[in-house]
Amino acid sequence: MNPAARFLGGARSLRTRLLVAFALLGVSTAALVAGVDYVQARDIILQKAQDTAVLTITERIETLPPLGDLPPSQATLDEIAGRLSGRDDTAVAVYRDRRSVGRLDPDTLPRELRRAVGEGIVVWQRVSMNGRPVLVIGTQLRLGRPGRPAQPPGGSALPPGPATQPSELEIYSVRSLEPEQQSIARLATRAWLTGAVALVFAVLLAVLAGRGVLEPVRELRRATNRLGEGDLTARAQIRGTDELADVARTFNNTAETLERHVGDLRRMEAEARRFVADVSHELRTPLAAMTAVTDVLDDEAQRLPGDAGRAARLVSGETHKLTRLVNDLIEVSRFDTGTATLALDDVDVAEAIRATLRARGWSDRVRTDLPQGVVARLDPRRLDVIIANLVSNALRHGAPPVSVRTHVRPDRLDIEVGDGGPGLAPDVLPHVFNRFYKADTARARSEGSGLGLAIARENARLHGGDLTAANRPAGGAVFTVHLPRPGSEPGDTR
């Protein structure tokens, strides 16, 4: 993966990716077009300069006077170099180890070029001399063979033929390419400017395209956030008929279906809660009568013979269980409807916990670590329900020792109820406060209704606190009631 692809993949914002993509596309296209134009223009400029220089030196050679006898004199070499030199170029005439007088030193020329000229080949080459670009043209004058038609006066720069012979008189012309180099530099500057303009244009195009593309996306995101926060009436605005409009339309259809289904579920849940509350209240009156009858049966059960006594005791026990279940259901319905309230009072926490244990005969079965003088603003009846449910759960499903401890924190009061049993299984822990949840699914019935822990947690939350469950490192489950700091006023979080 190339760096641009890695950058686009790592960019989190769609706007950023769009801007970068447009910028890369614009710059790449501009660079490619400008680069191709630059290379072609450079080659054309250099080729034209080269052709012009070769043509010029060839025409000058053809205008030279007859060469005369060889070897040429120094004056002849100087005259030839002078005739072949111009305003834009400099020439030097070389015959074996002698050369014309001038600024151009043949020893500074490339050896490959001089070797090719010595073999009778017309050559030219772009080189750098003293840090400047120049074009070097080299040729060797040709003489006509005896008995053959003579070449133009002074020789020729044409390739060797059957009517010519080498004269060993080499001509080198050096032409400066600085004007062409400046033209090429201006082309490069224009190419850079073209790339910069293309970049600006690409960014502007990306911004304009981003407004049209990203605005529907932002609208869809806002609608999705509202839907995620529970606003089932959230809808996205449909703009146009493109793919984004199809996405918005699909979102609206999904949200409408979800709203309808959630509404149905809420109505069913409300009807179920109302049914439970109504049934629980309707059962209270007959249960009160049944409880009065079972109290009489309890007194007479000891004197009833055999099966009659066992049946009386069974009816009494089941009636009490049914009464507790109905009372729990009524309590849960109060939490669901938001009618549960607090009757606050200044409560001595240690004394209230001990009173709960004494009232149920658990004082000898439960260890306590309760600092004295801890007073909190609580509902005594609901604190009694919390402690009773937690201790009862520990005694039924845990193992000794069962303990109750309080810890005064800077910002809260913690009441821990723990046991020495095996603790809560990992798959049970997340569901332990669910209503009617029982960890042992093999047990068809139990003494509890499955609502005790849920009611305890609701009571803790009603005080502005919470109830959590965990396992001790040394073994055993521990339930911790988090209540507001002693002396602070609890808030109703429902």
Side-chain angles (χ1 to χ4, degrees):
M1 184 179 293
N2 57 41
R6 285 198 300 269
F7 178 81
L8 287 175
R12 295 184 179 179
S13 171
L14 180 59
R15 178 188 293 271
T16 302
R17 293 200 297 269
L18 190 62
L19 287 173
V20 173
F22 270 86
L24 290 178
L25 178 61
V27 171
S28 301
T29 304
L32 179 61
V33 174
V36 172
D37 291 343
Y38 168 77
V39 172
Q40 291 180 347
R42 182 196 63 184
D43 292 343
I44 291 173
I45 291 173
L46 293 177
Q47 185 66 40
K48 183 178 180 181
Q50 175 180 293
D51 295 343
T52 301
V54 172
L55 181 60
T56 300
I57 193 64
T58 301
E59 292 176 348
R60 289 176 182 175
I61 290 175
E62 291 177 351
T63 62
L64 289 175
L67 184 59
D69 297 332
L70 296 176
S73 63
Q74 182 65 42
T76 301
L77 294 177
D78 294 341
E79 182 182 359
I80 293 174
R83 285 178 175 274
L84 298 180
S85 299
R87 184 184 62 182
D88 298 329
D89 50 11
T90 302
V92 62
V94 180
Y95 183 81
R96 296 181 181 176
D97 58 349
R98 295 164 53 207
R99 68 180 182 89
S100 60
V101 177
R103 293 176 299 175
L104 180 60
D105 185 0
D107 294 335
T108 61
L109 301 177
R111 293 183 179 181
E112 295 79 4
L113 183 142
R114 295 202 61 185
R115 187 180 301 111
V117 172
E119 295 174 355
I121 302 174
V122 181
V123 295
W124 51 85
Q125 182 178 354
R126 293 192 295 269
V127 298
S128 177
M129 296 182 62
N130 300 324
R132 298 184 306 165
V134 297
L135 174 66
V136 179
I137 304 172
T139 184
Q140 185 177 164
L141 295 183
R142 310 292 294 182
L143 299 176
R145 293 180 182 273
R148 300 287 185 177
Q151 295 292 315
S156 174
L158 297 176
T164 63
Q165 63 179 354
S167 66
E168 298 185 78
L169 179 57
E170 300 172 357
I171 303 297
Y172 297 98
S173 176
V174 176
R175 182 183 183 280
S176 174
L177 295 178
E178 287 187 342
E180 288 76 14
Q181 189 68 28
Q182 292 174 358
S183 298
I184 294 173
R186 287 194 293 270
L187 286 176
T189 302
R190 292 192 185 98
W192 281 107
L193 290 175
T194 301
V197 172
L199 176 60
V200 173
F201 179 75
V203 171
L204 292 177
L205 184 62
V207 171
L208 294 176
R211 289 183 178 179
V213 174
L214 297 181
E215 184 59 33
V217 175
R218 285 193 291 265
E219 174 67 24
L220 185 61
R221 182 184 63 183
R222 288 191 290 267
T224 304
N225 290 337
R226 289 172 54 196
L227 185 65
E229 292 171 356
D231 183 5
L232 299 180
T233 62
R235 298 293 184 271
Q237 184 177 356
I238 300 177
R239 302 179 179 180
T241 58
D242 55 9
E243 289 80 359
L244 290 175
D246 292 339
V247 173
R249 192 175 295 106
T250 301
F251 171 82
N252 290 343
N253 294 337
T254 304
E256 183 178 355
T257 303
L258 180 62
E259 182 182 15
R260 184 171 60 255
H261 289 173
V262 171
D264 294 341
L265 290 175
R266 287 176 176 173
R267 284 192 296 272
M268 293 171 61
E269 183 181 7
E271 291 174 358
R273 289 177 176 175
R274 185 165 54 252
F275 173 78
V276 171
D278 294 342
V279 170
S280 300
H281 282 86
E282 291 297 328
L283 288 176
R284 294 188 72 176
T285 301
L287 279 176
M290 292 174 62
T291 302
V293 173
T294 55
D295 289 341
V296 176
L297 288 177
D298 287 339
D299 295 336
E300 299 295 332
Q302 301 296 330
R303 293 189 291 271
L304 293 174
D307 293 340
R310 287 192 296 271
R313 288 189 293 271
L314 177 61
V315 170
S316 177
E318 294 301 321
T319 301
H320 287 297
K321 287 182 181 180
L322 183 58
T323 301
R324 287 196 297 271
L325 174 60
V326 170
N327 290 334
D328 289 343
L329 289 174
I330 293 174
E331 187 71 6
V332 167
S333 67
R334 292 196 184 103
F335 289 120
D336 290 339
T337 57
T339 58
T341 58
L342 292 173
L344 297 175
D345 196 2
D346 292 330
V347 177
D348 187 321
V349 177
E351 182 57 33
I353 294 175
R354 292 192 182 96
T356 298
L357 299 178
R358 285 195 304 269
R360 291 161 178 81
W362 294 337
S363 299
D364 296 336
R365 302 172 59 187
V366 178
R367 298 178 181 178
T368 59
D369 182 7
L370 308 173
Q372 298 296 324
V374 178
V375 178
R377 188 106 175 127
L378 304 172
D379 185 329
R381 184 185 69 83
R382 296 190 181 278
L383 177 62
D384 176 78
V385 171
I386 295 173
I387 302 301
N389 281 331
L390 295 180
V391 173
S392 174
N393 183 76
L395 292 174
R396 284 201 310 267
H397 305 297
V402 175
S403 62
V404 180
R405 295 182 176 87
T406 59
H407 302 278
V408 180
R409 311 292 184 186
D411 58 343
R412 69 178 188 269
L413 169 67
D414 290 346
I415 303 175
E416 293 182 358
V417 178
D419 63 72
L424 298 170
D427 58 331
V428 172
L429 200 56
H431 310 287
V432 71
F433 294 112
N434 293 353
R435 296 175 184 179
F436 300 106
Y437 179 79
K438 295 182 180 180
D440 187 2
T441 57
R443 289 181 292 136
R445 302 190 60 205
S446 65
E447 295 183 5
S449 62
L451 294 172
L453 293 178
I455 292 174
R457 191 178 199 183
E458 292 293 343
N459 277 310
R461 289 179 172 178
L462 194 62
H463 282 84
D466 200 0
L467 174 60
T468 59
N471 289 319
R472 288 174 172 171
V478 57
F479 291 83
T480 305
V481 184
H482 307 283
L483 296 174
R485 180 176 64 252
S488 64
E489 189 75 15
D492 191 346
T493 60
R494 296 191 58 80

